[in-house]
Amino acid sequence: MTESKMLPVPDGLDGSRVDAGVSKLLGFSRSRVAQIAEDGNIRLNGLVVGKSERLVGGAMLEVEWEPERPLAIEPIAVPELEIVHDEPAFVVVMKPVGVAAHPSVGWTGPTVLGALAAAGFRISTSGQPERQGIVHRLDVGTSGLMVVAKMERSYSVLKQAFRDRTVKKVYHAVVQGLLDPLEGTIDAPIGRAPGSSWKFAVVNGGKHSVTHYETLEAFRRGSLVEIHLETGRTHQIRVHMSAQHHPCMGDPLYGSDPKLAAALGLDRQWLHAMGLGFTHPNTGAWVEFSSHYPPDLQRALDMLRTGSV
């Protein structure tokens, strides 16, 4: 159950960064406030603000958060989780669908960190214990590449790289219909959907969000699209594709056709983190990793290609 607070910003905090000011007002750590902001749960005069934006004296501040509870990483083996690359600084995995990045309140299923622990990997970094090594995340319902830092230096460098948007993130999605134009950029702010605590939408005052796309293949019922993310908002691809009236197949939350998904045998959105590139935290060399489609996505793609659906 979430908690929330609404209060005016004291004049003494006018001009303060959001994470620093809210930390003082609520007694939370700055890292916790940063996470609350990243989740889109801090608003100033009704508009979603990021952790580095500035408070305005007298403005109405709204903060919503999940109560902190002790969380532990349970070593649970996930045979489907593939180790794509492993070295002392970091490990790159292909996360299967149905697996969360790390433990969180309300989640009782397997996690990437739990799977790595069960496989004997040792991760030693700062930050919240249940999120050690996590420098970015994928939705539970999205499969694909993730990098997990194993040492403090790599954790710090990689986390900053994601903040600075110097990481190359490539996704493949199968969407309904044919995008027009076939390639382009979607620049539309994303925030919580009105009246919902778990769905997102393109909204005025949302976080700056940019998605670049290119159509790779066109079928009778949809398109295979390659997507490069410039920003990394929660559900960004799903929201932006839905806003274009071309939702990811198998994604009824954002408007896909459930009958089409059933015909394709999809019980999750057709979305996969296909490629990942970044500067090596130790050597400074550019490294890139790629993955393959999981069986369920490949099967649905094959059906679309042959026109059997």
Side-chain angles (χ1 to χ4, degrees), residues 152-203:
E152 185 59 37
R153 173 176 169 75
S154 55
Y155 176 74
S156 175
V157 172
L158 288 173
K159 201 166 183 63
Q160 190 61 48
F162 276 94
R163 287 196 194 102
D164 294 340
R165 302 175 186 172
T166 60
V167 177
K168 180 180 178 182
K169 297 176 285 185
V170 182
Y171 291 76
H172 281 189
V174 171
V175 303
Q176 293 181 193
L178 185 65
L179 284 156
D180 183 17
L182 294 177
E183 61 180 285
T185 297
I186 304 168
D187 186 345
I190 292 176
R192 298 278 181 183
S196 175
S197 60
W198 39 268
K199 186 179 179 182
F200 292 79
V202 170
V203 295

Side-chain angles (χ1 to χ4, degrees), residues 87-228:
E87 60 175 87
F90 58 83
V91 58
V92 178
V93 304
M94 191 173 108
K95 184 189 84 66
V97 66
V99 178
H102 56 74
S104 61
V105 175
W107 177 252
T108 58
T111 66
V112 169
L113 291 184
L116 290 174
F121 285 82
R122 294 188 62 187
I123 297 173
S124 180
T125 67
S126 60
Q128 294 172 281
E130 72 275 10
R131 297 188 184 188
Q132 284 209 351
I134 296 295
V135 294
H136 70 126
R137 293 173 292 177
L138 290 178
D139 293 342
V140 171
T142 300
S143 55
L145 294 177
M146 279 186 61
V147 58
V148 179
K150 293 164 64 178
M151 303 174 68
E152 185 59 37
R153 173 176 169 75
S154 55
Y155 176 74
S156 175
V157 172
L158 288 173
K159 201 166 183 63
Q160 190 61 48
F162 276 94
R163 287 196 194 102
D164 294 340
R165 302 175 186 172
T166 60
V167 177
K168 180 180 178 182
K169 297 176 285 185
V170 182
Y171 291 76
H172 281 189
V174 171
V175 303
Q176 293 181 193
L178 185 65
L179 284 156
D180 183 17
L182 294 177
E183 61 180 285
T185 297
I186 304 168
D187 186 345
I190 292 176
R192 298 278 181 183
S196 175
S197 60
W198 39 268
K199 186 179 179 182
F200 292 79
V202 170
V203 295
N204 291 330
K207 291 183 178 180
H208 176 62
S209 308
V210 179
T211 301
H212 307 284
Y213 71 88
E214 177 186 358
T215 302
L216 300 179
E217 295 182 57
F219 318 112
R220 184 170 63 89
R221 304 292 298 272
S223 310
L224 174 64
V225 182
E226 180 166 293
I227 295 166
H228 293 250

